[in-house]
Amino acid sequence: MRIDKYLWSTRYFKTRNMASTACKKGQVRVNDQVVKPSREVYPMDKIIVRKDQINLQLTVLDTPKSRVGAKLVDIYRKDTTPKEAFEHNELLKQAKEHYRKKGTGRPTKKDRRDIEEYLDDPEAAPDDFVQKE
């Protein structure tokens, strides 16, 4: 079975065209080699797919005849992705949510409250910023 069809049928990509595009961009490796979408996949092949900034690692157990349901995917592949990859992605996501670029508009109500709380707290704020009454 072709690698793009395999990735589509095991639900790694929503469409076969997306799977082909990922192969063309070099985001799919079979046995540590970058592959074209037409590369055949056989049982016991090791596949690495770069998706959402995570290198998903899987081993081919069997090839399905057509696209399979989500509950049946584990029959055809074994997921060997280390947990550190997902933890790293979670840290990136939290960092992006916390950081707001300068010039992205007015502060939100929460931002304003945080700033006021910071300025009102004498231990947290430097002496220059403390409001004197």
Side-chain angles (χ1 to χ4, degrees):
M1 176 181 272
R2 292 170 51 114
I3 182 70
D4 60 341
K5 190 171 182 181
Y6 178 81
L7 293 172
W8 167 75
S9 63
T10 54
R11 297 186 169 268
Y12 278 94
F13 291 98
K14 193 171 185 176
T15 64
R16 189 165 163 195
N17 188 25
M18 291 170 73
S20 296
T21 305
C23 291
K24 290 174 186 172
K25 288 182 178 178
Q27 296 173 349
V28 178
R29 298 171 150 264
V30 176
N31 299 329
D32 291 328
Q33 292 180 336
V34 177
V35 295
K36 293 181 179 180
S38 61
R39 164 72 151 73
E40 292 290 320
V41 193
Y42 302 103
M44 302 315 295
D45 278 347
K46 307 267 190 249
I47 301 174
I48 299 174
V49 180
R50 179 135 178 104
K51 186 175 179 191
D52 298 331
Q53 296 184 355
I54 298 176
N55 286 332
L56 301 170
Q57 299 175 6
L58 58 131
T59 305
V60 178
L61 298 178
D62 197 9
T63 55
K65 301 291 181 217
S66 63
R67 190 166 167 97
V68 295
K71 293 180 181 178
L72 303 176
V73 169
D74 290 333
I75 297 171
Y76 300 103
R77 59 104 172 129
K78 180 179 178 189
D79 193 0
T80 57
T81 307
K83 290 186 178 182
E84 294 87 37
F86 294 107
E87 292 170 0
H88 179 69
N89 195 30
E90 191 64 32
L91 287 174
L92 283 175
K93 193 181 294 184
Q94 289 176 357
K96 285 180 182 176
E97 289 174 1
H98 180 72
Y99 178 71
R100 207 171 114 224
K101 291 184 179 177
K102 185 176 180 181
T104 56
R106 293 172 48 178
T108 62
K109 199 179 274 190
K110 182 184 182 323
D111 292 338
R112 180 182 53 80
R113 289 181 184 141
D114 289 343
I115 292 169
E116 286 177 357
E117 180 183 328
Y118 177 75
L119 293 176
D120 289 342
D121 188 11
E123 289 119 27
D127 293 312
D128 297 343
F129 294 106
V130 176
Q131 294 177 351
K132 296 181 181 176
E133 297 174 12

